[in-house]
Amino acid sequence: MVNQLIKLQTMTDPTLPNAGALSVVEMTRDLDFKVRRIYYIYGANASTMRGHHAHKKLHQLLICIKGVIKVDVDDGENVVSTILDNPSVGLPVGPRLWRTMEWLEDDSILLVMASLPYDENDYIRDYSKFLEWIKTNDENSSI
Ligand code: T46
């Protein structure tokens, strides 16, 4: 399992070196799912751990738009860690993957684009149930 970061189209103006950058996520070009929900997590101190769950059907794109966040993705056999410290890249995280996020800097902000509306039934929040679920179900299983 490899976490493939998506490099987002990013514009800067060389004539305005202090004017920042503008990054774009465009459907189809950058994402293979339609965005049905956007949320963001902010105000967390360094060392905060979040996640600790998998999704049955949900596809997401995670972008750390401020600070540094480590994302561990576990497919039940391997864990791949990715440091998100650049707002011009996104990490796609699909269903059937156990994810854990660790805030490595105070006030880092995680922006998430998601393929479906919120549905608690799509979550698996118990690791042993996750291991069981991926053995016996796929993304098309009813939830
Ligand atoms: C994920 C990672 C990256 C809602 O009511 N609506 C929503 O759209 C979301 C995302 C959450 N909630 C509720 C569910 C919980 O009662 O907000 C509470 C906090 O959510 P949770 O503990 O799941 O937050 P994280 O940071 O552990 O996980 C979140 C997403 O829930 C999850 O889908 O993949 O970010």
Side-chain angles (χ1 to χ4, degrees):
M1 180 190 42
V2 180
N3 284 344
Q4 296 278 8
L5 285 170
I6 293 177
K7 180 85 188 117
L8 303 173
Q9 183 189 17
T10 297
M11 269 70 67
T12 53
D13 184 341
T15 65
L16 296 170
N18 300 317
L22 184 159
S23 292
V24 183
V25 180
E26 203 167 291
M27 299 321 106
T28 317
R29 183 189 65 188
D30 301 315
L31 290 181
D32 56 5
F33 60 85
K34 278 191 187 161
V35 176
R36 304 277 304 280
R37 177 167 53 110
I38 295 172
Y39 61 89
Y40 39 94
I41 304 169
Y42 56 95
N45 291 337
S47 301
T48 295
M49 303 287 297
R50 302 186 63 116
H52 306 289
H53 60 256
H55 284 282
K56 297 174 186 168
K57 293 180 184 295
L58 191 70
H59 290 259
Q60 304 198 99
L61 183 72
L62 277 52
I63 304 172
C64 177
I65 56 171
K66 178 173 183 261
V68 187
I69 297 170
K70 179 161 79 79
V71 181
D72 287 345
V73 175
D74 176 352
D75 65 3
E77 291 184 356
N78 300 298
V79 181
V80 176
S81 294
T82 304
I83 301 287
L84 295 180
D85 60 358
N86 179 347
S88 73
V89 300
L91 177 67
V93 181
R96 304 164 57 79
L97 296 168
W98 188 264
R99 79 282 321 268
T100 308
M101 302 89 77
E102 180 180 1
W103 263 241
L104 299 184
E105 272 183 13
D106 288 348
D107 290 324
S108 299
I109 301 177
L110 186 66
L111 174 71
V112 182
M113 299 180 185
S115 63
L116 294 168
Y118 173 71
D119 178 1
E120 189 58 35
N121 290 322
D122 189 67
Y123 285 74
I124 306 170
R125 293 188 183 271
D126 178 293
Y127 190 72
S128 53
K129 285 187 183 151
F130 160 69
L131 294 177
E132 199 52 41
W133 199 86
I134 55 172
K135 264 194 266 166
T136 49
N137 292 275
D138 62 24
E139 202 178 327
N140 301 314
S141 304
S142 58
I143 57 175

